[in-house]
Structures are given as C-alpha cells and as structure tokens.
Amino acid sequence: MSFSSIWSSNLYNLRNTLVSSHSHNLLRLGTSGGWGILDTGRWTFRSLTTKVRATDPKLESDKPCSVKLELVDGTVKRRSNANANKLELQNFKAIQQCDVQQAITEGKDVSQLVTVLVFDIETTGFRRSHDRIIEFALQDLFGGRNSTFQTLVNPERFVPNTVIHGISTNMVNRHGVPRWKELAPILVRYVQSRQKPGGIVLWVAHNGRRFDVPFLVKEFSRCSMDIPSDWFFVDTLPLARQLVNPDGSKLSSFSLKSLREHYGIQLLGKAHRAMSDVNMLSLILQKMTFDLKIPISGLVERSFKASDLKPD
C-alpha cells in the first residue's frame, strides 16, 4: 500500500493544518502556560501506567506486567511488577518482527503492522562522543490523538552553536527541562503507546544513518539502555539521491531545504528547529515515496537497526 492512500486523511492537507498549534503533544515547550508537561515554568509530569500483555495465548503470562513512570523533582522513578516472563516477551517480539518480514515477502499489506515516526534532533555539535541532544521531536504519520512529541533537552553543558538552531544555553540548562536520562524511559513508553499490535516501529530521519540515529543510540547508551529491538530506521538521504528534476537531471543538492524547494513546499516555522523539520520531512516523504513508487514495505526493506551501525 502506498503512503498517499494511507495518509490521505492525515497528511494530504498537512500543509494547511501545520499553522495550528499541536494541542496533544506529550512534552511541549509552551510560551503561554497551559496543560503541556513541559512549560516555561515548572515541568510537572503526570504519571503514565502501561500494561503489557502478549496476544499470543502460548506466550501470555498469567498476569500483566505494569510499569509506572513518575517524575518527581527532576528524577524519574520506575516501579514495576515483572510478573510476565522476560524470555517469553523477548520471544514474542521476535515473532512480531518475523511476521512483518513474512508479510513483506508474501506481498501482503503491512500498513497495519508498521508505525511510521518521522523524527529530528538538534544537538550541541556533530561529535556524538562529546556533543549532546538539546531538542527532540517526532510525528506519527498515521495521525490521531497525541501524534506528536517534542521537547527541549538539558545537555548540562554550554551550547556553542546557537546561531544554527536558535537554542541557547539558558533555554535548556534550567530547571524544568528534562535531561536525556529522564526523557528516555518516557519516550520509550510513548512510542509503545503508538505501536500497532504485532508490529514494528519505523523511524524516519534525513541523514539519519550518519547523524540522528547514532546520536540517539549514544544517548541511550549513556543511560545504560538499549534501543528496543523492534525499532527500525530509514534514512531519506539515499532516497533523495534517486530523485530527478522535470528535465531528467539529478538534483544539485539533497538537503532538506533543497528538497522543500524541489517540491515547492512553503517553510512553516523556523528551519533547524526539530518540530519544524519533522513537519517538513513528513510532507517531503509523502511526495518522495510517491515519485519513487515506494510503499511502506519498501521502506521497511530499506531500513536498518541500531545494531547495524558501526560502534564509536
């Protein structure tokens, strides 16, 4: 199935809807107060409780495994009753991924098995071994309630490249802005809440293989956390290199800005801010996959896992 048919109600008119504010962000930097968890004042976290139960009767535990995350005074506390057998859940995930690959091989529609998340990050620099993420945003391309997620991130260090993204040290190094170790478990639970039963999560970023994904992996590693095994990643840069102009010539540049101009998409918001770039890439991806005739299964086939990346 193509992206155009799936996103007809969610993304085809996205250009007209982006000017409105996103009222369902889990983490949102507000400027006028309001409900958002992340605001210009104190960051207050409303505890999330997630219950996990296997849908395969052979793998199902007698009791669900519930995990509760709370943020109190800037620290995340996690309480869980691990009644579900860990090995069984790992086996269940392996079966899920196998089902997706089998569906692709058999030429079946995988749109009901794949959650597509476009994401972007802003950082203090280009060296993932030293620099840190200072802003994170994503959008679930299938839409629905709480389909966007964005937040500034406290790197606990000086931000030297404010001129690029407009994010200053004072904006992030302050009380109320979560550090990555506080954000990571919340992000994982949020993604799980978007994940389709028996499916995988497909993360999409521009130049993601060389930049966004390695940074994400490094930040999780600093927290002694692994990237979930059912997360897959797609880099749109190789796809952009396949595009041609109306005269049949190759594009002279493959940057997000050049792709926006190629498709005649109006810039909404500030460039090099995470949510603005996510919105732009979402529109570009829809048009690019249509031009290249790439369905969701085609993106899955082009995906890679965090374990495929070369270690630092």
Side-chain angles (χ1 to χ4, degrees):
M1 181 176 290
S2 69
F3 279 94
S4 298
S5 59
I6 294 174
W7 300 345
S8 58
S9 62
N10 297 319
L11 291 182
Y12 185 75
N13 296 318
L14 183 58
R15 184 199 302 269
N16 297 325
T17 60
L18 288 180
V19 293
S20 62
S21 60
H22 297 279
S23 60
H24 303 305
N25 293 341
L26 182 60
L27 295 178
R28 181 69 185 265
L29 179 62
T31 57
S32 59
W35 179 84
I37 290 178
L38 183 58
D39 206 338
T40 52
R42 177 179 176 82
W43 186 42
T44 58
F45 177 70
R46 300 184 180 184
S47 54
L48 306 174
T49 301
T50 302
K51 291 187 177 181
V52 181
R53 182 182 291 274
T55 57
D56 189 330
K58 295 180 180 179
L59 299 176
E60 187 174 5
S61 174
D62 293 334
K63 297 181 180 179
C65 172
S66 62
V67 179
K68 188 173 184 179
L69 298 173
E70 296 180 326
L71 180 65
V72 181
D73 297 329
T75 60
V76 170
K77 296 181 178 180
R78 174 173 174 163
R79 297 201 299 263
S80 64
N81 62 322
N83 294 321
N85 185 282
K86 185 176 181 180
L87 180 59
E88 289 180 349
L89 292 178
Q90 290 175 344
N91 291 337
F92 179 56
K93 285 188 175 182
I95 291 174
Q96 291 177 330
Q97 296 170 26
C98 180
D99 289 344
V100 174
Q101 297 295 340
Q102 182 178 352
I104 293 174
T105 302
E106 296 175 354
K108 296 180 179 178
D109 176 21
V110 298
S111 61
Q112 299 305 313
L113 296 174
V114 181
T115 300
V116 184
L117 304 178
V118 172
F119 80 105
D120 185 68
I121 61 173
E122 300 300 333
T123 67
T124 58
F126 297 102
R127 299 170 299 171
R128 61 181 180 273
S129 60
H130 171 76
D131 290 303
R132 306 297 297 272
I133 293 176
I134 55 176
E135 189 176 36
F136 179 89
L138 68 78
Q139 180 181 43
D140 184 344
L141 294 188
F142 289 89
R145 185 177 176 84
N146 297 327
S147 61
T148 61
F149 181 109
Q150 67 178 115
T151 181
L152 292 173
V153 183
N154 187 347
E156 300 181 284
R157 66 181 59 193
F158 175 72
V159 179
N161 54 346
T162 301
V163 66
I164 296 177
H165 39 59
I167 301 174
S168 67
T169 304
N170 291 336
M171 288 174 63
V172 291
N173 284 340
R174 61 183 177 84
H175 180 72
V177 177
R179 296 167 292 179
W180 190 266
K181 64 182 179 181
E182 298 160 349
L183 178 64
I186 299 173
L187 175 62
V188 170
R189 293 303 171 195
Y190 169 81
V191 173
Q192 289 176 340
S193 74
R194 310 297 303 181
Q195 194 165 355
K196 298 178 181 180
I200 64 172
V201 180
L202 192 65
W203 294 77
V204 181
H206 195 62
N207 197 27
R209 190 172 194 118
R210 295 185 61 184
F211 186 76
D212 302 77
V213 179
F215 259 97
L216 196 66
V217 172
K218 188 64 177 180
E219 290 286 18
F220 270 84
S221 176
R222 289 190 179 102
C223 304
S224 299
M225 294 177 63
D226 293 326
I227 295 291
S229 61
D230 48 11
W231 288 11
F232 292 74
F233 300 91
V234 171
D235 186 350
T236 53
L237 184 57
L239 301 182
R241 293 194 174 105
Q242 301 176 39
L243 296 173
V244 295
N245 291 307
D247 61 3
S249 62
K250 292 286 188 179
L251 274 62
S252 58
S253 173
F254 308 105
S255 67
L256 203 60
K257 177 177 180 293
S258 296
L259 293 175
R260 175 179 65 80
E261 293 173 348
H262 173 73
Y263 284 116
I265 299 174
Q266 181 182 358
L267 177 64
L268 296 173
K270 296 181 179 180
H272 300 298
R273 286 302 299 267
M275 198 69 231
S276 177
D277 286 353
V278 163
N279 290 332
M280 191 58 58
L281 183 56
S282 297
L283 290 170
I284 290 171
L285 181 65
Q286 181 185 8
K287 294 178 178 295
M288 186 162 51
T289 53
F290 177 82
D291 285 349
L292 298 175
K293 297 179 174 56
I294 301 176
I296 293 179
S297 59
L299 286 185
V300 175
E301 290 173 340
R302 290 167 170 81
S303 69
F304 61 94
K305 301 190 70 172
S307 57
D308 296 330
L309 298 175
K310 294 180 180 180
D312 291 339

